[in-house]
Structure formats: C-alpha cells, structure tokens
Amino acid sequence: MAKFVLVAGGAGFVGSNLCRRLLDAGDAVLCVDNLLTGEMENIAELIGNPGFRFIRHDIIKPLRVEGRVDEIYNLACPASPPRYQKDPIHTFRTCVDGTLNLLALAEAKGARILQSSTSEVYGDPEIKLQHEGYRGNVNTCGPRACYDEGKRAGETLFWEYGAHRGVETRIARIFNTYGPRMHPDDGRVVSNFVVQALRGQPLTVYGAGLQTRSFCYVDDLVQGLMRLMASTEKMPVNLGNPGEFTMLELAEKVLQKLGSDLPITFMPLPQDDPLQRRPDISRAAELLDWQPTIGLDQGLDKTIAWFAQRLKSDRMKGSMVS
C-alpha cells in the first residue's frame, strides 16, 4: 500500500531529491519548507503531480496535518556553514524546537520518523575513521556550534522519544553530500569549486588545502535514507562515501574535468573547520545492505553538467529581467 510521507525541508537540496524518489516509489508526499534556503525551483516540476503537495511552513512552529501520516523525514535545517551561520539562533531553534514539533506530530499520528543528523556531531574528530560510537570533539561556543550542537540535541530528542514515548525513530548521520539541486551559492566545497570554475573565477581553498572530506553523491544518500527508514535500527547510522580526498585534490579534479587552468587561491582556515572527515559505514553495510555506488568522478560529471545548465538558466532569466 502506498505510504503518506511528510518531508520537512523538502524544497532543499537533499529533500527535493528525496521527494522525487518517494513519488517514483508510488508514495504520496507532503513537502514542508519555509523557503529560507529551499527553492521552489527545486520542486517546480512536482507541482501538479497528484501525489505531491507543498506547504510553506517553518517547523519551529507547531505543524497540523489532517489525515494519516505514515513516515516523516526531518531534513529541515540549512547544512552549509554560511547559511546556518547567517541566523544561528534560528538554526538552533530549527534543530530543537522544530525537531520537537515533528516528534510530537509523529507521536500523534503513530508515524515513523527519521532525523537527518550530520557528521558534524563528531566535530573536528581526533580519530581518522569516524564510527557511530565516537562521541566527538565539538566546540560548544564557536561559529559552527549552532549547527553541530543543534544536531546533537536533535539526536538526544529522538532517542528520548523513542525510549520513553514509543515513537519509531531513526537517525542518519549524513556526511558531505553533493549533486544536482545544490544552490550555486550554497557555500559547500563541491558547489564552490564547480561554480567558481564555470564562472571563470579562481578556486578558493582554505588553509593549505590538506584537510580531507568524503563526498557522497545525493542519489546514493537518498537510497540510504530510505533503507534506514524501512529498517528496525534506532541507533545512529553513518551514511556517506568513505572515499577520502584533500581539498587540493578536489580542486584539481574539478579543473581537470573542465579543462581549465584557473589559479587556486588560498585563504585562512575558518574557525573550527574539521581537518578530516571520513565515515565508517560498516553498520550501514551490515544493517541496511547499503554502500555508495557512484564514485567521485562519475558524480562530479553529473554535478558539473547540472550546474552548467543551472547557471545558463540563471543568466537567461537575468537578461530577461534587465
């Protein structure tokens, strides 16, 4: 039987890709987004689909939904540092008040609910391979704390509602994700490098460029989220691609794919920027039979093509306005 699924943050990067996959699976989708960072453009082609409905709403306020709700995905929080630092109090409230409101809705509806947590709960890790048992190295009073600590608080709320209220909770710790429907000015490293290169601008690398990240293509992540939702696992599960690259390696790979000789400029490393990030996904492999299938080269090809089309469309819209 088709499910009725609520996706909070459904007009955002990951949320809009998830909405498509759920509709393709035959589910009915209610997309909830305040559009602070999500975009109607991400879901424009879904409007008019009989299985899709959109509500503009900020989840820091209670949400009322008529009828049944079978599953709730909580993806409602900016994930790029420039965007979540723009209004840090609202970011923290989204992680806490918003999470409480969605948990209350799940309890009232008897719905299963999944929290999109983050690898940022590990902070600037002191171990090279981050596993779910690692408790992290997080600065509670820095510029990233509103997001890092907000997500940690969200995990605690999910645990308590699962342990003491009987709510069917799931927690995904998402590592760096990229792909179509990222905003050109998102502020994360893949979009930064690709957009700068396509615009003919120098690529900006912070620090010496030796800090590492692991990049998961969005289609792989969405598959992992859906498998976790369908599982019986209530403890956090890492979802990411364990392939690890330095920022310099990523910048050089983007330039190579575009056949560009643009320069790379170096800027000071932001405060509390993690020096390494690599997921241990053994639990996801064991519990969900999940692992990424799209490597960085293939994923970058798809992402570059999408951004090239997006920037072309933006230029055309700009010329029509002027």
Side-chain angles (χ1 to χ4, degrees), residues 94-110:
T94 300
C95 293
V96 177
D97 295 341
T99 295
L100 277 170
N101 286 331
L102 292 181
L103 284 165
L105 179 64
E107 183 178 24
K109 297 291 186 179

Side-chain angles (χ1 to χ4, degrees), residues 74-210:
N74 181 18
L75 304 174
C77 186
S80 70
R83 292 188 163 203
Y84 68 65
Q85 291 172 16
K86 185 176 181 180
D87 189 346
I89 294 174
H90 188 273
T91 295
F92 196 79
R93 290 193 64 194
T94 300
C95 293
V96 177
D97 295 341
T99 295
L100 277 170
N101 286 331
L102 292 181
L103 284 165
L105 179 64
E107 183 178 24
K109 297 291 186 179
R112 182 174 294 184
I113 182 169
L114 183 147
Q115 167 76 344
S116 64
S117 190
T118 173
S119 62
E120 299 301 321
V121 301
Y122 300 125
D124 187 5
E126 298 166 315
I127 59 174
K128 186 166 180 60
L129 191 66
Q130 293 89 60
H131 57 81
E132 291 89 346
Y134 177 58
R135 296 185 180 182
N137 177 35
V138 179
N139 179 5
T140 63
C141 297
R144 302 172 70 99
C146 60
Y147 184 72
D148 301 0
E149 285 297 293
K151 287 294 189 177
R152 287 164 70 97
E155 286 194 13
T156 299
L157 290 169
F158 262 65
W159 166 252
E160 298 296 352
Y161 265 75
H164 301 294
R165 299 284 186 90
V167 177
E168 282 291 318
T169 57
R170 307 290 183 265
I171 301 171
R173 288 182 179 163
I174 299 172
F175 283 67
N176 295 69
T177 306
Y178 69 101
R181 298 182 184 88
M182 295 184 84
H183 193 280
D185 299 320
D186 177 84
R188 282 174 281 192
V189 66
V190 172
S191 55
N192 280 354
F193 286 170
V194 171
V195 170
Q196 286 174 335
L198 289 171
R199 288 173 173 167
Q201 301 169 343
L203 273 60
T204 303
V205 168
Y206 294 94
L210 300 181

Side-chain angles (χ1 to χ4, degrees), residues 237-253:
V237 177
N238 286 340
L239 294 178
N241 191 319
E244 189 176 24
F245 300 86
T246 69
M247 299 301 93
L248 273 178
E249 288 174 330
L250 178 65
E252 291 165 354
K253 190 176 285 288

